[in-house]
Amino acid sequence: MSRSHAPALPDRARVEEAAWWLSGRVVRTPVLNCPAIDRLAGARILLKAENLQTGGSYKMRGAMLAVGRLAAAGHTGVVAQSTGNHAVAVALAARRHGLAATVVLPVDAAPVKVARARAAGARVVLAGTTVDERLAAARQLAAADGHPLVDAYDHPDVVAGQGSASLELIEEAERAGTPLDALVVPVGGGGGVAGACLAAAGTPIEVYGVEPVGCDSLARSLAAGRPTPVVPAPTIADGLRPGCVGELPFAVARDAVRGVVRVDDDAIAEAFRLLLLELKVLVEPSGAAGLAGALRLAARPGDPDGAPGDAVGGRPGRYRTVGVVLTGGNVEAELVARLAGGTVTDPARMEGVAA
């Protein structure tokens, strides 16, 4: 499934440049640690709190960089599509730079994300439930308006911007004297994990993606050697259901990512509760999936040198410090109540489940 025309691959220098450009334009979010989570994991877990980012997610980084450069080039508007957080981020970035924004969201998008995109001043268009349907609508709108499309995954500035969160986490862990052995990032379209791979390039840090069971396009793509679409299964992690990893993120991650950890909704819900009750931070399920993956990785029930694209753990003693990017915190109040109470029911009733 092609989303773009073979964009040039970014590198670590581009992530460093993005981090420099974004300094003062986005929040440098804190790195958090919780002794109770460390004890459970049997390793130090450092959590990059991008749920506290402007717009509620790390998507603000890539959107701010991409939209800022388009504004500098003289564009007067932008178009984007996503399951929610990228649309919110593009809307906010466009408002910051004085551009018009049109964002395409699935018809079953999480209401909180639709509301935040509208509150940021964007024109919101609801289209279908799959990424192909949203892309078709976004491309038509971009052509009609004469505005560029800021792709959620297949855009070098988006990948580099997302990577700046991982770069900050790596740098802060080193300054604290606890350098990362592994870095874990939830995977939707793959921009975040690709950015993490670039940020970790030239270091011994092993990068892992995390995908919900049944929404494992990256794992299947690694096994197949090419971007491989899936029919996403229902999950409480609405932001991790794009249908297919992006071509650009796959090209970056293919030879750089150590593996993929698959997690189910029960594991995501438990990670959500740990973050809420032990660390006292509110993270959406898509972000909590990163901690769920890190806990499984640290538990070492297996060896990541097994099946391609499927990592379930490391060798005993392999990881002393694991970094996790908590990618977002835009979550419905009803879902918070259900998960905090220990209830996992039909995902379609709790949060948007758009592919």
Side-chain angles (χ1 to χ4, degrees):
M1 179 170 60
S2 177
R3 295 192 183 111
S4 60
H5 298 288
L9 293 183
D11 55 15
R12 192 178 200 272
R14 190 152 182 175
V15 175
E16 293 172 338
E17 177 188 355
W20 175 85
W21 192 91
L22 290 168
S23 179
R25 291 181 168 95
V26 298
V27 176
R28 188 178 179 98
T29 55
V31 174
L32 308 177
N33 175 250
C34 175
I37 293 176
D38 287 355
R39 287 193 296 271
L40 182 62
R44 182 182 292 104
I45 305 294
L46 299 182
L47 301 145
K48 180 66 167 167
E50 285 294 297
N51 55 307
L52 303 178
Q53 184 58 256
T54 303
S57 84
Y58 78 149
K59 296 287 189 179
M60 191 65 190
R61 295 172 177 270
M64 183 63 76
L65 181 61
V67 173
R69 288 185 169 171
L70 289 171
H75 291 279
T76 59
V78 291
V79 177
Q81 66 78 27
S82 81
T83 54
N85 282 338
H86 177 70
V88 172
V90 167
L92 287 167
R95 184 173 68 183
R96 183 88 60 91
H97 289 285
L99 275 61
T102 299
V103 298
V104 180
L105 294 166
V107 296
D108 52 0
V112 66
K113 296 176 181 178
V114 175
R116 290 186 178 183
R118 285 183 172 140
R123 175 174 56 146
V124 175
V125 176
L126 303 179
T129 59
T130 69
V131 67
D132 283 338
E133 290 171 316
R134 294 196 308 275
L135 274 169
R139 286 167 176 158
Q140 288 178 353
L141 290 164
D145 296 342
H147 295 156
L149 176 65
V150 181
D151 195 277
Y153 322 124
D154 282 322
H155 194 299
D157 286 338
V158 169
V159 170
Q162 259 63 307
S164 68
S166 291
L167 184 65
E168 289 178 6
L169 175 53
I170 291 168
E171 291 174 344
E172 292 191 31
E174 289 176 348
R175 280 196 293 269
T178 56
L180 300 184
D181 300 306
L183 176 57
V184 179
V185 183
V187 178
V193 75
C197 288
L198 296 174
T203 78
I205 298 169
E206 297 184 344
V207 178
Y208 290 86
V210 178
E211 294 183 305
V213 172
C215 304
D216 52 351
S217 175
L218 178 58
R220 297 188 192 194
S221 298
L222 292 172
R226 62 184 183 281
T228 302
V230 297
V231 178
T235 176
I236 58 174
D238 71 318
L240 307 183
R241 301 186 72 249
C244 187
V245 66
E247 292 180 3
L248 175 59
F250 178 74
V252 171
R254 176 175 50 205
D255 299 320
V257 74
R258 184 67 177 86
V260 176
V261 184
R262 296 173 172 97
V263 293
D264 61 22
D265 275 2
D266 286 338
I268 295 171
E270 179 58 28
F272 172 92
R273 285 189 289 273
L274 282 170
L275 292 164
L276 182 65
L277 302 177
E278 297 292 344
L279 198 58
K280 316 304 181 188
V281 299
L282 180 62
V283 177
E284 63 187 274
S286 297
L291 176 58
L295 291 172
R296 189 177 179 204
L297 192 66
R300 299 181 296 275
D303 189 333
D305 295 320
D310 190 13
V312 294
R315 291 186 289 275
R318 184 181 185 95
Y319 304 126
R320 292 174 297 176
T321 306
V322 179
V324 179
V325 180
L326 300 177
T327 50
N330 293 321
V331 58
E332 297 292 323
E334 179 188 4
L335 179 56
V336 173
R338 289 179 182 272
L339 294 184
T343 303
V344 179
T345 59
D346 178 6
R349 295 178 54 208
M350 297 194 295
E351 188 172 4
V353 295

